[in-house]
Amino acid sequence: MAVHQSTHRSSGFHLPSFRSTRAVSAPETAVSVEAGTLTARAYVFASARVLMGFVFLWAFLDKTFGFGYATASGKGWVDGGSPTEGFLGHVAVGPMESTFHAWAGAAWTDWLFMLGLLGIGLALTAGVALRLAALAGTVMMALMWVAEWPPAKHLSDGSASMSTNPFADYHVVYAVVLIALAAVSAGDALGLGRWWARLPIVRDHAWLR
């Protein structure tokens, strides 16, 4: 009896409990992996945001200064050229063909188009006002989609339209990406999104987020 009792007496030495260690480390590992995944996801969306911003900014800069890519040198906006006359003036298909011809080269069309490119590009690059950028960008992409009218197999003159897809062309893809970037607050990483969200006017008006 005495021997049996002495075996349960504390000796001051304890072996480590591996069971309790495993029970604690598993949730901690899961949290760590989840946090790492969320961080990676945030940076992937942020990278897509910056690249998309450069798409709009480059279009603005090339049309303004005529770098010789889409806009020939010497025919930029600063040289007196029209950013919309070439594109809208050559629309040859779709339900808004005559409307786009009437808009082509108009001062208000040029200014609205160029300010849209600049505003969307800056917002995406900086990571601020992504909801406004998504709205403006979606409207712009929708109008450009209608101007090219991918569903048509033939142009107004009967020639082949050379449309590669009757619906999901790059305008639709761009619009969906813009909406996704705004939905996930992609400006919080590699951008000024968190600072922007703390501004009083943005806190009071969620649509500015």
Side-chain angles (χ1 to χ4, degrees):
M1 184 67 176
V3 173
H4 177 72
Q5 290 177 344
S6 66
T7 58
H8 292 279
R9 188 175 301 154
S10 175
S11 62
F13 176 79
H14 299 279
L15 292 174
S17 175
F18 293 102
R19 180 180 300 176
S20 61
T21 302
R22 286 196 297 269
V24 174
S25 63
E28 289 179 352
T29 302
V31 171
S32 177
V33 171
E34 182 179 1
T37 302
L38 292 175
T39 301
R41 186 182 303 151
Y43 281 104
V44 168
F45 277 113
S47 299
R49 188 201 80 236
V50 173
L51 289 173
M52 184 63 71
F54 184 69
V55 169
F56 284 88
L57 282 181
W58 175 259
F60 170 81
L61 293 172
D62 185 55
K63 293 179 183 301
T64 299
F65 301 106
F67 290 147
Y69 290 88
T71 304
S73 179
K75 293 187 177 181
W77 199 21
V78 295
D79 301 310
S82 170
T84 63
E85 185 175 8
F87 177 68
L88 295 181
H90 289 85
V91 172
V93 67
M96 294 184 63
E97 180 179 351
S98 59
T99 301
F100 287 134
H101 288 172
W103 290 356
W108 69 269
T109 310
D110 289 344
W111 276 96
L112 194 60
F113 178 60
M114 294 299 282
L115 288 177
L117 290 177
L118 178 61
I120 296 169
L122 289 177
L124 290 172
T125 304
V128 301
L130 295 185
R131 294 181 182 180
L132 283 176
L135 175 60
T138 299
V139 171
M140 182 181 291
M141 292 299 106
L143 288 172
M144 295 177 72
W145 186 87
V146 173
E148 295 191 8
W149 201 245
K153 293 182 179 180
H154 300 89
L155 303 180
S156 300
D157 60 4
S159 61
S161 67
M162 303 302 291
S163 175
T164 58
N165 191 301
F167 174 71
D169 75 338
Y170 72 96
H171 298 104
V172 177
V173 175
Y174 281 6
V176 172
V177 170
L178 288 172
I179 294 171
L181 293 175
V184 300
S185 299
D188 292 353
L190 300 178
L192 304 175
R194 294 183 184 277
W195 167 81
W196 178 261
R198 289 195 295 267
L199 295 178
I201 189 173
V202 178
R203 287 202 307 265
D204 295 339
H205 302 86
W207 57 272
L208 291 174
R209 180 71 173 83

